[in-house]
Amino acid sequence: MKKTVVAENERALLFRNGRFVKLLGPGRYILCGGSAAELCPLDKELCSGLAPLDRLLECPEIASAVTEISVEDAHLALHFVNGLFKDALTAGRHAFWNQGQKHEFTVVDTACPEVAPEIPRHIFPKLSPRLFQQIDIEDYQKGLLFFDKRFERELGPGSYFFWRGPVAVECGIFDTRRQQMNVSGQEIMTADKVALRINFVLSYKVTDFLRAATEIADQKEQLHVAAQLALRDYVGRYRLDEVLAGKDQMGEYVTGVLKSKEKELCVEILEAGVKDVILPGEIADIMNTVLVAEKQAQANVITRREEVASTRSLLNTAR
């Protein structure tokens, strides 16, 4: 024989030789032979390791003491106890003790993934992340929402909640702010076969996020390549001296080419220009030598001009 005590906040399931017999209320019991008692807390879901729930609910005493709910596939039941959110129930049959507790349920269909406005947002920190997905859009961002790879709608700034279920939810997030791109270190051959390295900078904004996401593969790379090709086209037409003298014209030309591709690339070109023109080492040395010679020649002319002026002054004084 063995003794079992059932507390006020418990109930016990009595089994004899492995078969459920009846429900035991609070009290002290002496069990003998093949009898066993399984304790069930009243603040927990009715669950037994010795018998299925369907078998337990066949007992009229248990059926009248619990609130039962069946949740279908692709559904969730939000469980509230005495008006406070408790947890979310997945597919299956569930039962909860009524003793001092009022159980209410809100059933949601996860095949419609967007969380309805009437669902209180304060429940989500208490839910498992495997049941829902949260998408946050900042003030400077825009989201493109897709259900099962199909575009649904644009999302503005805010927090959005979606149920994880049979429908795959994805969101592409794009920056609506002014963007900058550096086209750096491009080695380009001039018409007189001098290899220059040109650094170009441009700023732009995306104008059509949906087309950029669904019709253009790697928008930034395509814009980068368009700038490279425009630079090569311009520099290849002119000799070194003409390129160095026409840096502003180079920027205007490349900007014009990029602006002609704005609709195609879904961007607006705000500003563009040449940042640096880097000469090869030997050409740079030659240019420096020429510059030194020019400045020396200018200095000689100035020196001779001052000497002539001084001689004239002396002559005038002698007269």
Side-chain angles (χ1 to χ4, degrees):
M1 295 191 302
K2 53 186 176 180
K3 292 185 292 185
T4 296
V5 176
V6 182
E8 285 288 348
N9 63 344
E10 295 177 326
R11 294 295 182 268
L13 305 175
L14 179 62
F15 292 86
R16 184 172 293 122
N17 297 324
R19 298 185 65 182
F20 173 69
V21 177
K22 64 178 181 177
L23 179 67
L24 301 178
R28 184 178 179 183
Y29 300 90
I30 297 177
L31 306 178
C32 60
S35 298
E38 184 179 13
L39 297 177
C40 299
L42 293 180
D43 61 346
K44 304 292 184 182
E45 181 176 355
L46 173 57
C47 182
S48 171
L50 302 176
L53 180 60
D54 292 345
R55 172 69 184 89
L56 298 178
L57 292 177
E58 291 175 359
C59 172
E61 190 176 0
I62 292 180
S64 63
V66 300
T67 297
E68 178 196 346
I69 183 173
S70 294
V71 184
E72 299 178 358
D73 286 335
H75 287 73
L76 287 176
L78 304 179
H79 181 201
F80 295 83
V81 180
N82 297 329
L84 302 177
F85 178 72
K86 179 70 173 177
D87 55 9
L89 308 176
T90 54
R93 194 177 184 187
H94 306 268
F96 298 88
W97 299 102
N98 292 327
Q99 188 74 20
Q101 295 179 330
K102 180 182 178 182
H103 299 276
E104 297 174 300
F105 304 94
T106 300
V107 178
V108 296
D109 184 358
T110 58
C112 301
E114 190 161 4
V115 175
E118 58 268 21
I119 302 298
R121 295 309 190 251
H122 69 265
I123 71 172
F124 289 99
K126 301 178 183 179
L127 285 178
S128 169
R130 64 184 180 83
L131 298 179
F132 74 97
Q133 177 179 351
Q134 180 176 347
I135 296 174
D136 296 314
I137 310 294
E138 302 290 346
D139 282 339
Y140 56 86
Q141 294 175 329
K142 181 174 290 187
L144 299 181
L145 181 64
F146 294 83
F147 288 168
D148 284 338
K149 305 296 183 181
R150 293 184 178 182
F151 176 69
E152 182 69 16
R153 72 173 197 276
E154 288 188 358
L155 300 179
S159 293
Y160 302 85
F161 296 88
F162 301 90
W163 301 116
R164 295 189 187 273
V167 177
V169 177
E170 298 174 286
C171 184
I173 298 178
F174 296 85
D175 197 323
T176 61
R177 295 174 295 182
R178 179 183 182 128
Q179 305 288 316
Q180 179 171 304
M181 176 180 292
N182 290 300
V183 185
S184 303
Q186 298 301 305
E187 284 204 2
I188 305 175
M189 193 78 71
T190 63
D192 51 355
K193 308 305 180 186
V194 178
L196 301 178
R197 295 184 64 189
I198 298 177
N199 295 326
F200 192 83
V201 64
L202 63 96
S203 59
Y204 67 96
K205 290 181 70 174
V206 180
T207 56
D208 190 333
F209 295 96
L210 180 58
R211 283 192 58 225
T214 59
E215 298 181 18
I216 302 175
D218 200 340
Q219 181 192 41
K220 287 186 176 181
E221 179 61 22
Q222 294 207 31
L223 182 59
H224 190 274
V225 170
Q228 285 181 318
L229 295 177
L231 281 171
R232 292 182 183 279
D233 183 49
Y234 179 89
V235 173
R237 299 177 183 181
Y238 299 98
R239 299 173 63 84
L240 174 62
D241 292 341
E242 296 171 324
V243 172
L244 295 178
K247 287 174 61 178
D248 291 340
Q249 289 80 359
M250 186 193 313
E252 292 173 0
Y253 174 81
V254 176
T255 302
V257 172
L258 295 178
K259 280 189 168 294
S260 69
K261 296 179 178 292
E262 285 181 334
K263 185 175 181 180
E264 176 186 342
L265 295 176
C266 304
V267 296
E268 177 189 358
I269 303 299
L270 303 176
E271 191 177 1
V274 178
K275 190 175 180 181
D276 299 301
V277 177
I278 303 172
L279 301 173
E282 61 276 11
I283 298 296
D285 293 340
I286 293 172
M287 295 291 288
N288 288 334
T289 301
V290 171
L291 180 61
V292 170
E294 288 179 352
K295 295 302 180 183
Q296 187 64 53
Q298 292 175 4
N300 292 337
V301 169
I302 293 172
T303 300
R304 287 193 294 272
R305 187 181 301 145
E306 293 298 325
E307 290 175 350
V308 170
S310 177
T311 302
R312 285 176 180 170
S313 178
L314 292 173
L315 179 60
N316 289 336
T317 300
R319 287 176 180 175

